[in-house]
PDB file of all heavy atoms in Angstrom:
ATOM      1  N   LEU A 431       3.344  -2.986   2.393  1.00  0.00           N
ATOM      2  CA  LEU A 431       4.474  -3.748   1.875  1.00  0.00           C
ATOM      3  C   LEU A 431       4.978  -4.739   2.915  1.00  0.00           C
ATOM      4  O   LEU A 431       5.207  -5.918   2.615  1.00  0.00           O
ATOM      5  CB  LEU A 431       5.603  -2.796   1.464  1.00  0.00           C
ATOM      6  CG  LEU A 431       6.988  -3.423   1.232  1.00  0.00           C
ATOM      7  CD1 LEU A 431       6.951  -4.424   0.079  1.00  0.00           C
ATOM      8  CD2 LEU A 431       8.034  -2.336   0.981  1.00  0.00           C
ATOM      9  N   ALA A 432       5.179  -4.279   4.144  1.00  0.00           N
ATOM     10  CA  ALA A 432       5.733  -5.148   5.184  1.00  0.00           C
ATOM     11  C   ALA A 432       4.835  -6.347   5.451  1.00  0.00           C
ATOM     12  O   ALA A 432       5.313  -7.486   5.578  1.00  0.00           O
ATOM     13  CB  ALA A 432       5.949  -4.344   6.467  1.00  0.00           C
ATOM     14  N   ALA A 433       3.529  -6.110   5.546  1.00  0.00           N
ATOM     15  CA  ALA A 433       2.595  -7.208   5.817  1.00  0.00           C
ATOM     16  C   ALA A 433       2.573  -8.207   4.667  1.00  0.00           C
ATOM     17  O   ALA A 433       2.673  -9.429   4.875  1.00  0.00           O
ATOM     18  CB  ALA A 433       1.196  -6.647   6.072  1.00  0.00           C
ATOM     19  N   ASP A 434       2.456  -7.712   3.450  1.00  0.00           N
ATOM     20  CA  ASP A 434       2.329  -8.626   2.316  1.00  0.00           C
ATOM     21  C   ASP A 434       3.647  -9.316   1.987  1.00  0.00           C
ATOM     22  O   ASP A 434       3.659 -10.487   1.584  1.00  0.00           O
ATOM     23  CB  ASP A 434       1.789  -7.875   1.094  1.00  0.00           C
ATOM     24  CG  ASP A 434       0.323  -7.498   1.259  1.00  0.00           C
ATOM     25  OD1 ASP A 434      -0.352  -8.107   2.114  1.00  0.00           O
ATOM     26  OD2 ASP A 434      -0.147  -6.605   0.543  1.00  0.00           O
ATOM     27  N   PHE A 435       4.762  -8.605   2.176  1.00  0.00           N
ATOM     28  CA  PHE A 435       6.058  -9.226   1.920  1.00  0.00           C
ATOM     29  C   PHE A 435       6.270 -10.414   2.848  1.00  0.00           C
ATOM     30  O   PHE A 435       6.651 -11.511   2.413  1.00  0.00           O
ATOM     31  CB  PHE A 435       7.183  -8.205   2.099  1.00  0.00           C
ATOM     32  CG  PHE A 435       8.562  -8.781   1.929  1.00  0.00           C
ATOM     33  CD1 PHE A 435       9.057  -9.056   0.666  1.00  0.00           C
ATOM     34  CD2 PHE A 435       9.351  -9.063   3.035  1.00  0.00           C
ATOM     35  CE1 PHE A 435      10.327  -9.608   0.498  1.00  0.00           C
ATOM     36  CE2 PHE A 435      10.625  -9.612   2.890  1.00  0.00           C
ATOM     37  CZ  PHE A 435      11.114  -9.882   1.617  1.00  0.00           C
ATOM     38  N   GLN A 436       6.011 -10.227   4.137  1.00  0.00           N
ATOM     39  CA  GLN A 436       6.218 -11.338   5.066  1.00  0.00           C
ATOM     40  C   GLN A 436       5.200 -12.446   4.849  1.00  0.00           C
ATOM     41  O   GLN A 436       5.529 -13.637   4.971  1.00  0.00           O
ATOM     42  CB  GLN A 436       6.162 -10.845   6.515  1.00  0.00           C
ATOM     43  CG  GLN A 436       6.538 -11.941   7.518  1.00  0.00           C
ATOM     44  CD  GLN A 436       6.746 -11.426   8.926  1.00  0.00           C
ATOM     45  OE1 GLN A 436       6.946 -10.229   9.140  1.00  0.00           O
ATOM     46  NE2 GLN A 436       6.669 -12.328   9.892  1.00  0.00           N
ATOM     47  N   SER A 437       3.959 -12.083   4.495  1.00  0.00           N
ATOM     48  CA  SER A 437       2.943 -13.111   4.247  1.00  0.00           C
ATOM     49  C   SER A 437       3.319 -13.995   3.064  1.00  0.00           C
ATOM     50  O   SER A 437       3.118 -15.206   3.093  1.00  0.00           O
ATOM     51  CB  SER A 437       1.584 -12.449   3.978  1.00  0.00           C
ATOM     52  OG  SER A 437       1.109 -11.786   5.125  1.00  0.00           O
ATOM     53  N   VAL A 438       3.870 -13.387   2.024  1.00  0.00           N
ATOM     54  CA  VAL A 438       4.194 -14.129   0.810  1.00  0.00           C
ATOM     55  C   VAL A 438       5.512 -14.878   0.938  1.00  0.00           C
ATOM     56  O   VAL A 438       5.654 -16.011   0.492  1.00  0.00           O
ATOM     57  CB  VAL A 438       4.212 -13.174  -0.407  1.00  0.00           C
ATOM     58  CG1 VAL A 438       4.765 -13.862  -1.658  1.00  0.00           C
ATOM     59  CG2 VAL A 438       2.808 -12.640  -0.681  1.00  0.00           C
ATOM     60  N   THR A 439       6.508 -14.230   1.570  1.00  0.00           N
ATOM     61  CA  THR A 439       7.857 -14.817   1.605  1.00  0.00           C
ATOM     62  C   THR A 439       8.196 -15.522   2.909  1.00  0.00           C
ATOM     63  O   THR A 439       9.171 -16.277   2.968  1.00  0.00           O
ATOM     64  CB  THR A 439       8.921 -13.725   1.395  1.00  0.00           C
ATOM     65  OG1 THR A 439       8.892 -12.827   2.522  1.00  0.00           O
ATOM     66  CG2 THR A 439       8.676 -12.944   0.112  1.00  0.00           C
ATOM     67  N   HIS A 440       7.446 -15.249   3.984  1.00  0.00           N
ATOM     68  CA  HIS A 440       7.751 -15.752   5.331  1.00  0.00           C
ATOM     69  C   HIS A 440       9.116 -15.238   5.813  1.00  0.00           C
ATOM     70  O   HIS A 440       9.768 -15.853   6.646  1.00  0.00           O
ATOM     71  CB  HIS A 440       7.710 -17.282   5.373  1.00  0.00           C
ATOM     72  CG  HIS A 440       6.451 -17.853   4.816  1.00  0.00           C
ATOM     73  ND1 HIS A 440       5.223 -17.695   5.430  1.00  0.00           N
ATOM     74  CD2 HIS A 440       6.211 -18.549   3.661  1.00  0.00           C
ATOM     75  CE1 HIS A 440       4.289 -18.276   4.707  1.00  0.00           C
ATOM     76  NE2 HIS A 440       4.855 -18.798   3.626  1.00  0.00           N
ATOM     77  N   ASP A 441       9.493 -14.080   5.299  1.00  0.00           N
ATOM     78  CA  ASP A 441      10.760 -13.421   5.652  1.00  0.00           C
ATOM     79  C   ASP A 441      10.399 -12.183   6.472  1.00  0.00           C
ATOM     80  O   ASP A 441       9.625 -11.335   6.028  1.00  0.00           O
ATOM     81  CB  ASP A 441      11.480 -13.032   4.347  1.00  0.00           C
ATOM     82  CG  ASP A 441      12.847 -12.394   4.582  1.00  0.00           C
ATOM     83  OD1 ASP A 441      13.022 -11.677   5.587  1.00  0.00           O
ATOM     84  OD2 ASP A 441      13.731 -12.579   3.723  1.00  0.00           O
ATOM     85  N   ASP A 442      10.951 -12.077   7.682  1.00  0.00           N
ATOM     86  CA  ASP A 442      10.547 -11.000   8.590  1.00  0.00           C
ATOM     87  C   ASP A 442      11.515  -9.819   8.598  1.00  0.00           C
ATOM     88  O   ASP A 442      11.549  -9.039   9.552  1.00  0.00           O
ATOM     89  CB  ASP A 442      10.369 -11.529  10.003  1.00  0.00           C
ATOM     90  CG  ASP A 442      11.662 -12.007  10.643  1.00  0.00           C
ATOM     91  OD1 ASP A 442      12.711 -12.010   9.941  1.00  0.00           O
ATOM     92  OD2 ASP A 442      11.653 -12.385  11.832  1.00  0.00           O
TER      93      ASP A 442
END
Side-chain angles (χ1 to χ4, degrees):
L431 165 63
D434 289 341
F435 177 77
Q436 187 169 342
S437 294
V438 171
T439 66
H440 308 292
D441 183 326
D442 66 355

